[in-house]
Amino acid sequence: MDSEDMVTMSVAQKRAQRSRSVAIGIALAVLVVMFYVATIIKFGPAILDRAF
Amino acid sequence: MALVDDIRSEPEFRLSEATPGDYFALLKPRVMSLVVFTAVVGVLAAPGSMNPFVAIIAIVAIAVGAGASGALNMWYDADIDAIMSRTSKRPVPLGRVLPGEALVFGLVLSVLSVMTLGVLVNWLAASLLAFTIFFYAVVYTMWLKRSTPQNIVIGGAAGAIPPVIGWAAATGTVSLESVIMFMIIFLWTPPHFWALALFKSGDYGRAGIPMMPNVKGELSTRRQIFAYTLVVAPVGVLPWALGYVSIGYGVAAALLGAGFLWHAWRVLAMSPDDKAMKPAKQMFFYSILYLFGIFAAYLLDILVWRAVALVGA
């Protein structure tokens, strides 16, 4: 691909894109932790009641 | 020709400079704070015990769902938001976020919040949240807001549901106590918004929104504000009258209701020549204090009696 086919981002656009990416990353991490902890809570003590 | 060239040649194409703060503004954080507060009261007022972590998840999901409906509202209303001074600084009219981006953001958060509440808490609460988002975004924003002066009366149901969702999240049911919380917010909405509409009628008129003062006139609006306040003040006292909260709440609700009525009376008695509309402005700010006060008194009452029961046990 030629360089003229590329969209050149300004500094402000790069900074905004990076901050949006960080925010999405944090939101996804929070969602994962939320589902993980809620699953453990819903299992309750039964989570330890298993054959090894 | 490269695909990128094709996209670049479109006049609307531009790279976004929107920050997370712009997206957060789409969630209407001030409205969300009231939703969170009333939902917290709904969760804590409910009988039985709820795992604190699950309760936090429920509140976050309700808040995000409410925010999602705000984003959908800003997507649809971008044209009229740009005209009104109160809303012209929102991210879509400012061009910080494109309407399509606001739409996708609102839809993604709607699905995420409803699914999270359903999977991790219960499906009654999730159904109520889904209904609230639909009611606010479709029934109120797309239909009622631009077609009838009863827009905020009927649309107010969306803002009144959060404590019912909180209660449903904690108990899996909808009961009289949560319905009364709903009624307090539902009946509070018209005097709150019509007080605002009185001193912002020029804004609403320019945007072509049929608010009560623009359609029925200021005098009719002032009478209706007083009539609704006359109803909401005693409904605010109902939790005590029905015997499930203490006299402390009853006294607080009665005093707050009396203050609300006094402000409504001042609006009713306002001179037609009063262009500053100070009583309407004071009524608007007092109405926020009223709702916060009623729910704070409710919460305090419940927490005090639970503490007393714990000490006595």
Side-chain angles (χ1 to χ4, degrees):
Chain A
M1 188 184 286
D2 297 336
S3 61
E4 65 187 40
D5 290 335
M6 304 281 283
V7 175
T8 310
M9 293 168 78
S10 70
V11 176
Q13 285 164 346
K14 277 183 187 165
R15 198 183 306 128
Q17 188 188 47
R18 183 171 169 73
S19 62
R20 289 198 303 269
S21 302
V22 170
I24 292 170
I26 292 170
L28 281 175
V30 168
L31 202 63
V32 169
V33 171
M34 229 164 68
F35 269 82
Y36 182 78
V37 177
T39 306
I40 303 286
I41 290 169
K42 281 186 175 289
F43 269 115
I47 200 162
L48 300 172
D49 183 21
R50 55 189 297 179
F52 287 96
Chain B
M1 183 184 281
L3 180 66
V4 173
D5 271 349
D6 289 338
I7 297 168
R8 278 192 308 189
S9 64
E10 290 175 19
E12 302 88 12
F13 175 73
R14 64 170 181 78
L15 287 170
S16 176
E17 288 183 18
T19 62
D22 293 318
Y23 280 92
F24 185 67
L26 287 178
L27 304 178
K28 297 192 175 180
R30 271 188 296 182
V31 176
M32 207 159 76
S33 63
L34 199 63
V35 166
V36 167
F37 181 56
T38 56
V40 165
V41 177
V43 168
L44 292 177
S49 64
M50 190 181 187
N51 182 287
F53 190 80
V54 177
I56 290 169
I57 290 175
I59 298 301
V60 170
I62 295 167
V64 172
S69 60
L72 293 172
N73 170 276
M74 286 201 206
W75 155 69
Y76 192 81
D77 276 350
D79 55 340
I80 51 178
D81 280 352
I83 298 168
M84 297 200 294
S85 62
R86 191 172 66 88
T87 53
S88 61
K89 299 283 187 286
R90 286 177 174 175
V92 180
L94 277 183
R96 301 276 307 164
V97 177
L98 294 174
E101 293 168 341
L103 171 65
V104 172
F105 185 60
L107 289 175
V108 167
L109 290 190
S110 297
V111 173
L112 265 180
S113 58
V114 171
M115 294 307 289
T116 303
L117 196 59
V119 171
L120 299 184
V121 185
N122 68 57
W123 287 101
L124 174 65
S127 313
L128 287 169
L129 182 63
F131 174 75
T132 307
I133 296 169
F134 171 79
F135 198 84
Y136 186 75
V138 178
V139 177
Y140 170 69
T141 303
M142 296 181 190
W143 176 31
L144 297 171
K145 188 172 178 179
R146 301 179 193 224
S147 60
T148 167
Q150 296 295 331
N151 47 17
I152 51 100
V153 178
I154 307 164
I161 296 181
V164 185
I165 306 175
W167 185 285
T171 63
T173 62
V174 174
S175 68
L176 179 67
E177 293 96 322
S178 62
V179 171
I180 288 174
M181 284 193 266
F182 169 89
M183 288 308 296
I184 292 170
I185 306 176
F186 182 70
L187 293 167
W188 162 91
T189 307
H192 168 73
F193 273 108
W194 285 339
L196 173 75
L198 275 175
F199 61 88
K200 289 280 184 187
S201 62
D203 248 11
Y204 285 113
R206 272 192 299 280
I209 303 173
M211 290 300 277
M212 196 57 80
N214 306 83
V215 178
K216 298 285 182 186
E218 286 181 8
L219 182 62
S220 169
T221 307
R222 287 190 275 137
R223 283 181 184 148
Q224 292 189 65
I225 286 175
F226 189 75
Y228 271 96
T229 312
L230 212 52
V231 179
V232 74
V235 170
V237 186
L238 265 185
W240 166 71
L242 292 174
Y244 57 86
V245 291
S246 77
I247 182 77
Y249 167 84
V251 170
L255 288 174
L256 283 162
F260 206 10
L261 264 174
W262 181 71
H263 279 284
W265 172 255
R266 288 187 63 223
V267 170
L268 184 64
M270 199 165 64
S271 162
D273 303 324
D274 186 352
K275 299 295 173 207
M277 294 201 181
K278 206 173 167 187
K281 288 174 185 167
Q282 287 171 339
M283 165 105 191
F284 175 71
F285 290 112
Y286 182 84
S287 66
I288 297 168
L289 182 74
Y290 172 82
L291 197 67
F292 177 80
I294 283 278
F295 276 83
Y298 200 117
L299 184 61
L300 191 67
D301 190 87
I302 287 154
L303 294 179
V304 166
W305 286 105
R306 286 217 179 137
V308 168
L310 266 179
V311 171

